[in-house]
């Protein structure tokens, strides 16, 4: 668009005029709304007291009737007390009636009664005044005569005057009430007409504004937007050819800067000549190696490490692998004497014909190597702990076997051996000639034989019960609980809750039997239990055996820490044995309340 050098354009002048008209229209609407609200509020305020005036006017009629009724009642009352009561009531009614009539006629600001009235109301109040005054005067004289109890004939005339004026007063008061109601209705009608007039005026103003302001303004704005859009398209088209070259250039520079920044600050890289001289080294690589390329000139091996032996190895790799490339891990020592591990890749790059260099990219794997070494150390310690633990377990197993053999030997020597010796001597001392003594010795020998049999059974019972191989784990555990209950005198009960009756592998059955036997023996030996319950249940894949006792219990954490104690080793053997058959053991114990041990074995 060309500029007008002589002054503002026609469009600018038109827009200024439209803006003035727009502001004028808004101001007109605002003034109209404000004036309408003021007028409406004024009319509403003038109508606030209308209902009260109509109500009070109607009450005046009621008060006049009440006054007349009370006068008639007093005229016929002879009792002194009742007469005084009626006189007081008439005085109150008369006083209220006079005050109200005065306020209606003269006006009262506190009650909202207007002082100025219409001409019709003024005429009506002037016409009703003689009747009102007559009633007031007659009632006053009547009350004075009644107080003195005199002039009864005059009182009759006064009552008659009150009745005659009261009828006229009611008629004229009705006219006043009707006039008040009429004037209130006229005010409401006027208010309604005023509001309609204001509404019509407001709508008319809006219509004129739409036709002469908003619509032309909208058309002008649309034309201006169209011109601006056309100018924008032309400007974009003109600028496109020049800007596209600048954008491409800027993008290329940004990409180069980004690539350079990424290589300098994220990669450990270096460019090396075939003879090992450093051509360029990245900033991050320089910081890692504590090397300043601006104040020193060294070969790549000298940059990596100050150790001569390590430098020789690096130089040899560069000399041998500069054509084929190389990838591997290097362990070097930096200038602080710290060990660094690098995953190094050496790539040959041809720059020009018969001119090449080596691109070396590294990754710092020191932390990973430290972690691997730490894992290896921990694994070694774990293996050593396992070996030591197995040695302890093996020694304890041998020790337990020796103890078991010694126990069996003692039982056979001290128990069965002595009983057999006694049996031998008793047999030799039998005198068949003395039949009575011979019979007594035979009875004694029978009892002794039973004791020997019981001792043999007890000694052999702990070795391998025949029920285990003949009838399986259920029968052998049931037999175990029965025999131990008889031998110890404790209440040891067995429940096969799911009626398990399958046979398992002999090795699994032996271990289940020994685990149950060990748990019961521990409950008897260490827990001092009086009641032990063994329960067996199973699912499709798990056989579960639970041993509950009412013994003194123990702290599991404390016992597990004491691995060298007899109880600690007992729990350890139990866990090792159940793991041997791929099972799991769960031990719950509360000191003073008892212990529950559960074995879960896959079947």
């Amino acid at each position: 668009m060309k500029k007008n050098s002589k002054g503002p354009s026609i469009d600018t002048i038109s827009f200024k005029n439209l803006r003035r008209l727009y502001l004028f229209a808004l101001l007109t609407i605002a003034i109209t709304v404000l004036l309408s609200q003021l007028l409406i509020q004024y009319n509403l305020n003038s109508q606030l007291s209308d209902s009260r005036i109509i109500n009070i006017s109607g009450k005046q009629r009621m008060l006049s009737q009440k006054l007349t009724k009370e006068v008639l009642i007093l005229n016929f009352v002879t009792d002194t007390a009742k007469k005084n009561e009626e006189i007081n009531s008439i005085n109150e009614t008369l006083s209220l009636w006079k005050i109200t009539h005065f306020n209606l006629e003269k006006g009262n600001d506190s009650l909202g009664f207007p002082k100025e009235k219409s001409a019709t109301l003024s005429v009506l109040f002037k016409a009703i005044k003689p009747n009102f005054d007559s009633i007031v005067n007659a009632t006053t004289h009547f009350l004075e005569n009644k107080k003195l109890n005199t002039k009864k004939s005059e009182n009759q005339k006064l009552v008659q005057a009150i009745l005659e004026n009261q009828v006229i007063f009611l008629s004229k008061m009705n006219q006043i009430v009707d006039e008040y109601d009429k004037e209130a209705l006229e005010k409401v009608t006027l208010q309604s007409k005023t509001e309609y007039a204001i509404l019509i005026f407001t709508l008319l103003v809006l219509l004129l504004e739409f036709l002469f302001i908003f619509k032309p303004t909208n058309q002008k704005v649309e034309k201006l937007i169209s011109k601006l859009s056309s100018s924008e398209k032309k400007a974009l088209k003109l600028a496109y050819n020049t800007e596209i070259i600048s954008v491409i250039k800027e993008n290329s520079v940004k990409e180069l800067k980004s690539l350079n920044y990424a290589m300098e600050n994220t990669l450990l890289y270096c460019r090396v000549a075939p003879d090992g001289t450093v051509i360029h080294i990245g900033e991050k690589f320089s910081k890692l190696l504590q090397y300043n390329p601006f104040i020193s000139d060294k070969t790549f091996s000298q940059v990596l490490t100050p150790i001569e032996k390590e430098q020789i190895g690096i130089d040899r790799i560069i000399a041998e692998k500069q054509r084929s490339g190389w990838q591997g891990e290097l362990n070097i020592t930096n200038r602080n004497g710290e060990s660094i591990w690098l995953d190094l890749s050496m790539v040959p790059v041809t720059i020009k014909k018969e001119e090449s260099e080596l691109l070396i990219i590294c990754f710092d794997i020191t932390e990973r190597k430290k972690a691997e070494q730490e894992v290896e150390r921990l694994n070694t310690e774990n293996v050593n702990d396992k070996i030591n633990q197995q040695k302890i377990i093996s020694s304890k197993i041998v020790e337990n076997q020796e103890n078991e053999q010694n126990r069996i030997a003692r039982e056979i020597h001290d128990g069965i051996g002595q009983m057999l010796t006694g049996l031998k001597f008793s047999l030799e001392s039998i005198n068949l000639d003395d039949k009575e003594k011979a019979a007594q010795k035979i009875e004694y020998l029978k009892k002794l034989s039973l004791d020997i049999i019981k001792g043999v059974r007890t000694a052999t019972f702990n070795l391998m019960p025949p029920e285990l191989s003949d009838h399986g784990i259920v029968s052998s555990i049931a037999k175990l609980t029965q025999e131990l209950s008889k031998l110890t005198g404790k209440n040891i009960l067995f429940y096969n809750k799911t009626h398990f009756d399958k046979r398992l592998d002999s090795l699994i059955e032996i271990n289940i039997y020994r685990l149950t036997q060990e748990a019961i023996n521990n409950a008897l030996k260490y827990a001092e239990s009086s009641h032990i319950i063994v329960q067996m249940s199973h699912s499709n894949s798990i056989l579960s055996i639970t041993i509950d006792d009412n013994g003194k219990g123990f702290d599991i954490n404390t016992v597990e820490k004491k691995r060298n104690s007899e109880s600690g080793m007992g729990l350890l053997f139990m866990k090792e044995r159940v793991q041997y058959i791929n099972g799991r053991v769960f031990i719950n114990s509360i000191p003073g309340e008892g212990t529950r041990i559960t074995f879960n074995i896959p079947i």
Side-chain angles (χ1 to χ4, degrees), residues 67 71 74 86-88 90-91 94 138-149 155 158:
L67 182 64
V71 168
L74 179 61
E86 289 295 331
I87 290 172
N88 293 333
I90 291 172
N91 281 325
L94 180 62
T139 303
T140 304
H141 286 97
F142 178 77
L143 291 175
E144 290 176 354
N145 293 336
K146 275 294 181 180
K147 288 179 181 178
L148 298 175
N149 200 14
N155 286 344
L158 292 173

Side-chain angles (χ1 to χ4, degrees), residues 399-596:
E399 182 180 346
N400 287 340
Q401 288 176 346
E402 291 295 328
N403 292 336
E404 186 67 15
Q405 290 176 359
N406 291 332
R407 184 188 64 78
I408 295 171
R410 284 196 304 273
E411 286 182 358
I412 294 174
H413 180 270
D414 297 339
I416 300 172
Q418 290 181 3
M419 286 188 287
L420 288 173
T421 302
L423 179 62
K424 174 180 176 295
F425 287 128
S426 297
L427 287 172
E428 291 176 351
S429 64
I430 292 176
N431 185 1
L432 296 177
D433 295 334
D434 190 350
K435 294 183 179 181
E436 184 177 352
K437 290 184 178 181
Q440 291 177 358
K441 286 191 176 184
I442 290 171
E443 288 299 323
Y444 171 74
L445 291 173
K446 288 181 181 179
K447 184 176 179 302
L448 185 59
S449 300
L450 291 174
D451 291 339
I452 292 171
I453 294 170
K454 184 177 180 182
V456 172
R457 289 178 62 189
T458 302
T460 58
F461 180 74
N462 290 326
L463 297 177
M464 179 59 69
E467 286 83 1
L468 188 59
S469 58
D470 295 340
H471 304 291
I473 188 64
V474 178
S475 179
S476 60
I477 291 179
K479 186 69 173 177
L480 173 66
T481 55
Q482 292 174 4
E483 291 295 332
L484 289 177
S485 181
K486 291 178 183 179
L487 293 172
T488 60
K490 308 291 185 180
N491 291 320
I492 305 174
L493 303 175
F494 171 68
Y495 296 101
N496 186 0
K497 295 172 67 176
T498 56
H499 305 290
F500 180 73
D501 58 355
K502 296 179 181 179
R503 292 299 304 270
L504 305 175
D505 183 77
S506 60
L507 184 60
I508 295 176
E509 289 186 339
I510 290 171
N511 279 283
I512 293 174
Y513 181 83
R514 292 303 182 196
L515 287 167
T516 307
Q517 185 183 37
E518 179 72 15
I520 296 174
N521 287 334
N522 288 341
L524 293 170
K525 184 176 179 181
Y526 301 111
E528 300 177 1
S529 307
S530 60
H531 290 75
I532 301 172
I533 298 176
V534 181
Q535 301 180 77
M536 178 182 290
S537 60
H538 76 288
S539 63
N540 293 332
S541 59
I542 297 293
L543 175 64
S544 181
I545 299 173
T546 303
I547 299 95
D548 290 297
D549 68 67
N550 65 341
K552 57 186 181 181
F554 60 90
D555 186 358
I556 298 174
N557 295 327
T558 303
V559 171
E560 287 184 345
K561 290 178 181 178
K562 297 178 180 179
R563 288 294 180 88
N564 295 326
S565 65
E566 187 173 356
S567 57
M569 292 304 298
L571 292 179
L572 182 60
F573 293 153
M574 196 176 291
K575 291 179 180 179
E576 290 290 336
R577 188 184 288 272
V578 78
Q579 288 176 3
Y580 181 70
I581 55 175
N582 298 322
R584 298 182 68 187
V585 60
F586 302 94
I587 303 173
N588 296 312
S589 184
I590 300 175
E593 295 187 15
T595 303
R596 164 172 283 191

Side-chain angles (χ1 to χ4, degrees), residues 232-246:
E232 182 182 9
K233 290 179 180 179
K234 291 179 180 178
L236 289 173
K237 188 175 181 181
L238 292 172
Y240 178 77
N241 293 329
T242 55
E243 289 181 356
I244 192 169
I245 298 174
S246 177

Side-chain angles (χ1 to χ4, degrees), residues 370 382 551:
K370 288 181 180 179
N382 190 28

Side-chain angles (χ1 to χ4, degrees), residues 252-262:
S252 299
V253 172
K254 288 180 180 179
E255 289 177 0
L256 290 173
K257 287 182 178 179
S258 300
L259 180 60
N260 183 63
Y261 180 82

